[in-house]
Amino acid sequence: MKCRICRQGAVIEVRRHNAAFCRSHFVEHIHRQVERTIHDHGMFSPTDRLLLGVSGGKDSLALWAILTTLGYAVDGVYLHLGIGDYSSESLELTQRFAEGRGLTLRVVDLPEEQGFGVPEAARAGRRSPCSACGLSKRYLLNKAADDLGYDVLVMGHNLDDEAATLFANVLGWQTEYLARQRPVLPATEGGLARKVKPLIRVAERETAAYAILQGIDYEVEECPMAGGNTINRYKKWLDTLEEESPGLKTRFLTGFFERGQASFATMAPPELRSCEVCGQPTTGEVCAFCHLRRVTLEIVAR
Amino acid sequence: MKCRICRQGAVIEVRRHNAAFCRSHFVEHIHRQVERTIHDHGMFSPTDRLLLGVSGGKDSLALWAILTTLGYAVDGVYLHLGIGDYSSESLELTQRFAEGRGLTLRVVDLPEEQGFGVPEAARAGRRSPCSACGLSKRYLLNKAADDLGYDVLVMGHNLDDEAATLFANVLGWQTEYLARQRPVLPATEGGLARKVKPLIRVAERETAAYAILQGIDYEVEECPMAGGNTINRYKKWLDTLEEESPGLKTRFLTGFFERGQASFATMAPPELRSCEVCGQPTTGEVCAFCHLRRVTLEIVAR
């Protein structure tokens, strides 16, 4: 297996590109893929103030490294979700990464600031842990961007994440979700930051390979609460299809953005107003997070 | 395994309905599924003149039997596509079925009427056999309904066919196809008959079981030209998913008809005019079939 560029020994094969790469040309390839994604979707410019959600996992740390190398100034925000040792360890890895590179890391501590963590929210809210966690993360990330005056919220979702979400949304024909699944969600007047996903051309195993080849020390454990995570099932299904038809995930996702998405985007977006409790944008009177907080704190107090 | 209705020994399990049935209650179950489909989608009424496309396979013969039992008067049309012994045998089985039940069968003979069969069209047109065949069948069926004055063209596509087609259309985001994939395609002014698919709630193995239990002698061989048929790949993929999540195909297809389809159906349908050669409806000057015929006859004549 030879590198497509220099014909030296390759360290990784990328079947859907029908190519293999040596270490340095793989790194270059990943940089190019991300730069192209940012450019093609007009995600942001070097003057935008960027806030990246970092979890300590391979995707967000790799993306932070990539964007920095590409010349973008990006601050990170870590959400401490109160998931025991897992949260502490991820935070430590993230802090070490940021310090080693002189990057600014913001930390939002859910238990400290709100009095509860994801485990309590999951128990109280009759939601799955992943659902309570997703809701909390969306809220806290957006609030952090808003409070701290960032223009763009950058997310580390990779090709596999996005394709699996699309697959789940399509199998169940969740049209409201399909209407909002885009590489760039524009900012809204009500205070939702622009949200962008520069990693959607890069597969999960490629962000892992990138992190390893670049010596990035990341959290390798799965979240201990993600056992019943349904998105993993869709990922596994898509892996089976990709194995038989390399490039299927990319064609599926790219085709959706290029042709399918427009059919759903014509749906009127929900009207936003300010949450009566916290002032953040919501479609109802009280936002889903404030509702979750109220229910959780009631249970915790008992 | 006991029948859900009478608790006698069951002959078939239908996992997605979490049920098993004895012979007679299975037959009843299938009749009810088809009747519900016809009713829910307003496919036709007993006064409509119905023409069913019959191939001699399990689906179309089972559907003919079901519709007849439900009290609908349905004539059949068999397309002789010139695929050697396979075509002759399928025709014989179809004729025997119709004669045994006193049903009217029309036969359209492609080689006799047009001077070529599907094998020649596939060679000449640089299309796959399945593509040349599908194009010819759509054309000939519609023309037969038009020439013979039928109101509705009834098709034997089952749940697996429809779900696999949808899956293929979604993976490739073929939005024009998605806009037209419906249980009922209304008639158009230009001469396209209403087209309906009453078997879309019934799985392939269920139409096979129905045919066997009802003593219907059908063509069990696959078409000898269908080796590279890509739709079979999508069927196999969906089978894998269905195995892990019974009911997935039904939810996928039903969800599309109930929620997804509307997003695509807003696309303006293509404008139809009369083909300059044959007068049948087409979007261009000469319809795809007349084009295929011209190219094929040129090659055949050499």
Side-chain angles (χ1 to χ4, degrees):
Chain A
M1 208 171 60
K2 302 256 185 237
C3 172
R4 167 154 89 176
I5 317 286
C6 67
R7 314 306 302 163
Q8 306 290 309
V11 297
I12 186 168
E13 191 183 3
V14 183
R15 276 182 73 203
R16 72 179 186 291
H17 292 306
N18 204 11
F21 297 98
C22 71
R23 186 193 162 288
S24 70
H25 285 123
F26 175 69
V27 167
E28 230 175 58
H29 166 74
I30 295 295
H31 290 167
R32 210 168 39 241
Q33 292 291 319
V34 173
E35 184 72 87
R36 257 184 66 193
T37 308
I38 295 167
H39 176 264
D40 289 357
H41 296 286
M43 289 187 166
F44 45 75
S45 66
T47 55
D48 281 322
R49 292 201 64 213
L50 310 179
L51 183 66
L52 171 70
V54 278
S55 66
K58 59 190 183 324
D59 300 313
S60 52
L61 292 187
L63 182 55
W64 209 355
I66 295 164
L67 293 176
T68 306
T69 312
L70 291 175
Y72 296 101
V74 193
D75 295 348
V77 57
Y78 177 89
L79 307 180
H80 194 299
L81 300 162
I83 309 177
D85 289 349
Y86 179 75
S87 285
S88 322
E89 201 180 293
S90 314
L91 174 57
E92 222 180 282
L93 287 163
T94 307
Q95 281 172 326
R96 223 181 293 149
F97 178 93
E99 277 161 25
R101 296 167 188 239
L103 297 167
T104 302
L105 176 66
R106 316 275 194 161
V107 177
V108 175
D109 193 308
L110 179 62
E112 204 174 288
E113 291 187 12
Q114 308 280 350
F116 68 93
V118 163
E120 294 76 34
R123 272 203 300 280
R126 292 193 204 159
R127 288 172 171 270
S128 75
C130 296
S131 159
C133 185
L135 187 164
S136 303
K137 286 198 287 195
R138 279 190 298 278
Y139 177 85
L140 295 170
L141 285 174
N142 190 71
K143 191 166 179 305
D146 192 34
D147 289 351
L148 303 166
Y150 287 93
D151 304 311
V152 184
L153 197 51
V154 185
M155 308 293 293
H157 297 84
N158 60 41
L159 170 62
D160 295 75
D161 296 327
E162 281 299 289
T165 300
L166 178 60
F167 198 40
N169 289 342
V170 157
L171 284 178
W173 291 103
Q174 311 271 16
T175 50
E176 326 82 68
Y177 294 166
L178 289 165
R180 273 179 285 151
Q181 191 177 354
R182 296 150 82 171
V184 177
L185 270 181
T188 66
E189 290 209 1
L192 285 175
R194 191 196 314 166
K195 205 186 251 178
V196 303
K197 299 172 181 169
L199 273 189
I200 51 172
R201 271 208 187 93
V202 184
E204 200 152 290
R205 70 183 272 275
E206 292 152 26
T207 61
Y210 181 92
I212 292 164
L213 292 171
Q214 296 288 70
I216 296 170
D217 199 11
Y218 63 88
E219 174 63 81
V220 289
E221 297 295 323
E222 277 263 325
C223 171
M225 304 196 70
N229 192 344
T230 51
I231 207 74
N232 286 338
R233 183 183 221 183
Y234 296 103
K235 279 191 182 175
K236 203 194 66 189
W237 285 351
L238 280 181
D239 283 342
T240 311
L241 308 192
E242 177 83 17
E243 180 67 30
E244 288 192 34
S245 177
L248 178 139
K249 285 181 204 173
T250 306
R251 291 191 299 274
F252 178 46
L253 189 63
T254 310
F256 175 66
F257 291 143
E258 287 176 1
R259 296 184 301 278
Q261 219 275 334
S263 302
F264 302 102
T266 54
M267 293 168 55
E271 208 156 307
L272 296 178
R273 47 175 164 171
S274 292
C275 169
E276 288 179 1
V277 180
C278 71
Q280 286 292 302
T282 176
T283 53
E285 290 178 8
V286 174
C287 77
F289 181 78
C290 285
H291 179 76
L292 180 70
R293 178 177 45 212
R294 191 176 60 75
V295 178
T296 306
L297 292 180
E298 269 174 27
I299 302 275
V300 169
R302 272 185 207 161
Chain B
M1 209 169 64
K2 302 256 186 236
C3 172
R4 167 153 92 178
I5 317 285
C6 67
R7 315 305 302 163
Q8 306 290 311
V11 297
I12 186 167
E13 190 183 5
V14 182
R15 276 182 73 205
R16 72 179 185 289
H17 292 305
N18 204 10
F21 297 98
C22 72
R23 186 193 163 286
S24 70
H25 285 121
F26 175 69
V27 167
E28 230 174 59
H29 166 75
I30 295 296
H31 291 167
R32 210 168 39 240
Q33 292 290 319
V34 173
E35 183 72 87
R36 259 183 65 193
T37 308
I38 295 168
H39 176 264
D40 289 358
H41 296 285
M43 288 187 165
F44 44 76
S45 66
T47 55
D48 280 322
R49 293 201 64 212
L50 311 179
L51 184 66
L52 171 70
V54 278
S55 66
K58 59 189 183 328
D59 301 312
S60 52
L61 292 187
L63 182 55
W64 210 355
I66 295 165
L67 293 176
T68 307
T69 312
L70 291 175
Y72 296 101
V74 192
D75 294 349
V77 57
Y78 177 90
L79 307 181
H80 194 298
L81 300 162
I83 309 177
D85 290 348
Y86 178 74
S87 285
S88 321
E89 201 179 293
S90 312
L91 174 57
E92 222 179 281
L93 287 163
T94 308
Q95 281 171 327
R96 224 181 294 148
F97 178 93
E99 277 162 24
R101 298 169 185 238
L103 298 166
T104 302
L105 177 66
R106 318 276 195 159
V107 177
V108 175
D109 193 308
L110 179 63
E112 205 172 277
E113 291 186 13
Q114 307 280 350
F116 68 93
V118 164
E120 294 76 36
R123 273 202 300 280
R126 290 194 205 161
R127 289 173 170 267
S128 75
C130 295
S131 160
C133 184
L135 187 163
S136 303
K137 285 199 287 196
R138 278 190 299 278
Y139 176 86
L140 296 171
L141 285 174
N142 190 70
K143 190 166 179 306
D146 191 34
D147 289 350
L148 303 166
Y150 288 93
D151 305 310
V152 184
L153 197 51
V154 185
M155 307 294 292
H157 298 84
N158 59 41
L159 170 62
D160 295 75
D161 296 326
E162 282 299 289
T165 301
L166 178 60
F167 198 40
N169 289 342
V170 157
L171 283 178
W173 292 102
Q174 312 272 15
T175 51
E176 327 81 69
Y177 294 166
L178 289 165
R180 273 179 284 151
Q181 190 177 355
R182 295 150 82 171
V184 177
L185 271 180
T188 66
E189 289 209 2
L192 285 174
R194 190 196 315 165
K195 204 186 252 180
V196 303
K197 298 172 181 171
L199 273 188
I200 50 173
R201 271 207 187 93
V202 184
E204 200 152 291
R205 71 184 271 275
E206 293 153 24
T207 61
Y210 181 92
I212 291 163
L213 292 171
Q214 296 289 68
I216 296 169
D217 199 11
Y218 64 88
E219 175 63 79
V220 290
E221 298 295 323
E222 276 263 326
C223 171
M225 303 197 71
N229 191 345
T230 50
I231 207 73
N232 285 337
R233 183 182 222 186
Y234 296 102
K235 279 191 182 176
K236 202 194 66 189
W237 286 350
L238 280 180
D239 283 342
T240 312
L241 308 192
E242 177 82 18
E243 181 68 29
E244 288 193 33
S245 177
L248 179 139
K249 285 181 204 172
T250 305
R251 291 192 299 274
F252 177 47
L253 188 63
T254 310
F256 174 66
F257 291 143
E258 287 175 1
R259 296 184 301 279
Q261 219 276 333
S263 303
F264 302 101
T266 54
M267 293 168 55
E271 209 156 307
L272 296 178
R273 47 176 165 169
S274 293
C275 169
E276 288 178 2
V277 180
C278 71
Q280 286 291 301
T282 176
T283 53
E285 290 178 10
V286 174
C287 76
F289 182 79
C290 284
H291 180 75
L292 179 71
R293 178 179 42 213
R294 189 176 60 75
V295 178
T296 306
L297 292 179
E298 270 174 28
I299 302 276
V300 170
R302 271 183 208 160

